[in-house]
Amino acid sequence: MNVRSDPWSDLWLLRQPWTEPPGDPLAVSELSEVELGRADSFRRAHDRLLYLTAHIALRRLLAAYLEIPPREVPLTRQPCPSCGGAHGRPAVAGDPPPLHYSLSHSSGLALFGVSSAPIGVDVEKIPSQETVELCTPALHKKEQEEIERLGALERRFAFARLWTRKEAYLKGIGTGLARELSADYLGATEGSGYGGPPGWMVDNVPCGSSHVNHVAAAALSADAVRPERIGWLPADFLFAGGVTEPLDSHSR
């Protein structure tokens, strides 16, 4: 498909395999030498598999929008807004970038955001109570108060929803966790829809009934629009000879 000139954004989810199945191999030839080197640095085979599948899917997804081969997608990092280093928000190279994207994956579930404007996404497993207690003091004071009013089980789910909104926003603005977690208020009433700091729209994203242990969120620049579709990438999207054009047939 051609990249549109009007504001737009899409979200895509992928169930990652726990082991590489027999049959068609992963399409690793579509990755760059840098990505292959990064994959080889993982000591555990499962971590390597999760990295490979996330990046194969990312390249194939962006290639489908740009109508170019996956290996030719020119991935880059924009300048960090904090220090100016080349480790800020990811984008497709260009002036201006023809696409903005964000990737997150956790315990077998990957989330991809693609947009005409800056975007950030995050997906996480529901944390333990110990993690909630450890991390809550780092949040915005008003967010802490909202979490602490809840019972133990509700607190875990509410913290997870808030944390993914927070990380999605920090990815979207390009700072990541270099910015203080207490600097921005991202609490929200459940079901209130997209809201957030000035210039941004932030909300949680449904992960599907088979991923009840995950939560996810997306943050979009106000120059974009709310996601027009939340689609699932097909299972064979990762393999040589598999489906590589999911954009029309697999969106909701």
Side-chain angles (χ1 to χ4, degrees):
M1 64 181 285
N2 293 318
V3 179
R4 295 157 42 185
S5 58
D6 57 316
W8 59 274
S9 60
D10 292 331
L11 300 175
W12 297 93
L13 290 139
L14 171 71
R15 296 182 182 93
Q16 295 176 282
W18 288 101
T19 59
E20 188 170 348
D24 289 338
L26 292 173
V28 294
S29 63
E30 297 175 358
L31 299 179
S32 69
E33 293 301 322
V34 172
E35 289 166 317
L36 293 172
R38 171 65 175 152
D40 287 340
S41 71
F42 289 100
R43 293 185 177 182
R44 297 194 303 174
H46 179 62
D47 293 336
R48 179 178 182 274
L49 178 63
L50 293 180
Y51 178 88
L52 287 172
T53 56
H55 285 259
I56 290 168
L58 174 66
R59 281 192 169 273
R60 285 191 162 186
L61 186 59
L62 297 177
Y65 283 93
L66 296 167
E67 297 184 331
I68 61 176
R71 191 177 172 87
E72 294 180 14
V73 175
L75 304 181
T76 189
R77 288 275 185 173
Q78 297 184 307
C80 171
S82 299
C83 68
H87 52 260
R89 185 173 49 233
V92 174
D95 188 19
L99 286 178
H100 295 264
Y101 72 90
S102 184
L103 161 65
S104 178
H105 60 105
S106 174
S107 300
L109 182 64
L111 174 62
F112 307 85
V114 188
S115 178
S116 59
I119 185 171
V121 301
D122 189 54
V123 61
E124 305 281 351
K125 283 194 69 176
I126 303 297
S128 66
Q129 186 61 35
E130 291 76 14
T131 297
V132 174
E133 292 174 358
L134 179 66
C135 296
T136 295
L139 301 175
H140 189 281
K141 183 177 180 180
K142 191 174 178 181
E143 295 168 348
Q144 294 182 46
E145 294 170 351
E146 292 176 359
I147 296 295
E148 290 166 357
R149 285 198 295 265
L150 302 173
L153 182 59
E154 289 179 293
R155 188 176 298 180
R156 290 174 59 204
F157 282 86
F159 175 88
R161 290 190 290 267
L162 172 61
W163 187 269
T164 54
R165 292 196 299 271
K166 181 84 70 173
E167 283 224 39
Y169 171 68
L170 295 177
K171 288 180 180 180
I173 63 175
T175 64
L177 293 176
R179 183 175 174 86
E180 292 289 336
L181 292 170
S182 60
D184 309 284
Y185 173 68
L186 283 150
T189 303
E190 192 68 20
S192 64
Y194 277 76
W200 286 85
M201 302 177 287
V202 187
D203 200 8
N204 291 103
V205 176
C207 295
S209 59
S210 63
H211 285 282
V212 294
N213 291 325
H214 288 81
V215 292
L220 299 102
S221 165
D223 293 330
V225 295
R226 292 185 58 166
E228 298 178 6
R229 51 187 164 185
I230 303 174
W232 284 89
L233 298 176
D236 59 351
F237 192 64
L238 303 170
F239 303 103
V243 173
T244 59
E245 295 287 342
L247 300 180
D248 294 322
S249 58
H250 292 273
S251 60
R252 71 178 174 117

